[in-house]
Amino acid sequence: MPNLPKLSLYIHMPWCIKKCPYCDFNSFVSQTQIPEENYIRHLLNDLSNDISLISERKIDNIFIGGGTPSLFSEKSIQLLLEGVHTRLYVSPFAEITIEANPGTMEINRFDGYQASGVNRISIGIQSFNQKSLQHIDRTYYSNNAIQAIILANTLGLNSFNLDLMHGLPHQTKKEALRDLQVAINLNVPHISWYQLTIEPNTLFSRCRPSLPNEDDLWDIFQKGDQLLHAAGYEQYEISSYSRQGHYCAHNLNYWRFGDYLGIGCGAHGKITQLNGSIIRTEKTKHPRKFMSGCYLYKLSEVCDHDKPFEFFINRFRLLEPIPKNEYRSYTGLLEHSIRAPLDILITKGYLIETDNFWQTTQKGRLFLNSMLEVFLSK
């Protein structure tokens, strides 16, 4: 029997008030009232169909993402989590996160979420600057963002996260760093701070906005990183900074090549089987087809040739050491299967190696794509 990694549950809520011009997630603007009860019923049916893949394993954390899950009522989230608990064994210490946008955060609703077991919120703010919010077509005001964080601080949650972007259209260095300072001043325990990227099949890819130049982006990152460390935040992943004890358990499980069930429109899953094989699932993307009972779009097994890339594309994001025994346990492959690419990375100064672990260097973290390319060559 393989040494199985931890197991998470990801639940996708696909609806938004408005599609952001930079967003390539599987999300849909609701033209009518969201069919909450119907969608929850199909989510739980989807979960029931996947239970055979996990062999009675424990769920260590749950992440409700989207879309905008906080568009759903507290009653709907209660029905959802009650249904999860009746079908799966969820750890009593599980981190249960729900994503929210500032314009949908209401005290009564979030009290209801907490009563259902939610103990962490991830707030998609992106910027505190009203001009920047307008440039990325966000649907709330900067004071809504500040009020959302003040509310999160009063809820007694285990933790909460703030999504903050830099390198926004027409954004100056001063504006980008001011956004970061506002988040620090508001005592946010976890900050996901990342540069805007232009993804294919988005409005910004078709109508490219004016973005800061490469020199300014690098200066923003360096000064922002210094600002966060000086304020007591630890960078534990390429775009994640946390105060002590506030790492995101769900995302850590992704990056450590952990397993996860994915239910809901367009959700992806990765499940290690008892025989050591790794199964990947992808669910039907469109809500209409999903709610007709057609849940599974694709199920496939990860071949041995792809496992090194899949393992390291996650592990290289983390600043922590990569235990060698986890590569063997989680992929079923021996170290000699990746000896040649590892030697290349070590020679280039991207990676250090000891008897027990590998770890990316500061130089390696700046050339992540180059590091991964060595695992794609045949």
Side-chain angles (χ1 to χ4, degrees), residues 14-26:
W15 288 280
C16 281
I17 294 173
K18 192 174 186 179
K19 185 78 171 180
C20 296
Y22 55 83
C23 178
D24 68 338
F25 294 157
N26 188 51

Side-chain angles (χ1 to χ4, degrees), residues 168-189:
L168 300 176
H170 308 287
Q171 187 182 50
T172 66
K173 289 187 283 186
K174 183 178 180 181
E175 288 168 341
L177 295 174
R178 183 181 179 280
D179 273 346
L180 204 51
Q181 188 62 62
V182 171
I184 291 169
N185 292 346
L186 288 167
N187 197 32
V188 176

Side-chain angles (χ1 to χ4, degrees), residues 5-137:
K6 288 186 176 182
L7 177 64
S8 301
L9 172 64
Y10 175 76
I11 304 170
H12 193 73
M13 309 299 223
W15 288 280
C16 281
I17 294 173
K18 192 174 186 179
K19 185 78 171 180
C20 296
Y22 55 83
C23 178
D24 68 338
F25 294 157
N26 188 51
S27 60
F28 301 84
V29 177
S30 178
Q31 303 297 337
T32 59
Q33 186 175 0
I34 296 172
E36 294 188 25
E37 186 175 340
N38 193 25
Y39 188 65
I40 298 298
R41 179 169 59 84
H42 284 286
L43 278 176
L44 295 174
N45 288 344
D46 184 17
L47 178 59
S48 295
N49 289 348
D50 276 2
I51 288 176
S52 61
L53 296 174
I54 62 170
S55 304
E56 299 183 348
R57 292 164 63 186
K58 177 183 68 173
I59 298 293
D60 285 289
N61 52 75
I62 299 171
F63 196 101
I64 307 170
T68 307
S70 54
L71 291 174
F72 280 68
S73 69
E74 57 269 39
K75 179 182 177 182
S76 292
I77 299 302
Q78 179 182 357
L79 288 172
L80 171 63
L81 291 176
E82 284 177 353
V84 169
H85 281 275
T86 61
R87 289 162 174 80
L88 301 173
Y89 170 51
V90 179
S91 168
F93 307 106
E95 177 184 275
I96 302 178
T97 301
I98 189 168
E99 288 186 330
N101 281 343
T104 63
M105 289 188 65
E106 303 170 3
I107 184 65
N108 292 337
R109 179 167 294 189
F110 278 84
D111 280 343
Y113 291 167
Q114 280 187 280
S116 300
V118 171
N119 52 32
R120 186 177 184 274
I121 299 173
S122 182
I123 310 170
I125 284 178
Q126 319 313 343
S127 177
F128 294 100
N129 183 292
Q130 192 59 47
K131 183 178 70 173
S132 293
L133 291 173
Q134 290 169 350
H135 285 146
I136 58 174
D137 204 19

Side-chain angles (χ1 to χ4, degrees), residues 26 58 60 113 138 162 236 289 339:
N26 188 51
K58 177 183 68 173
D60 285 289
Y113 291 167
R138 297 293 273 174
L162 167 63
Y236 69 99
K289 188 171 183 180
R339 191 66 259 166

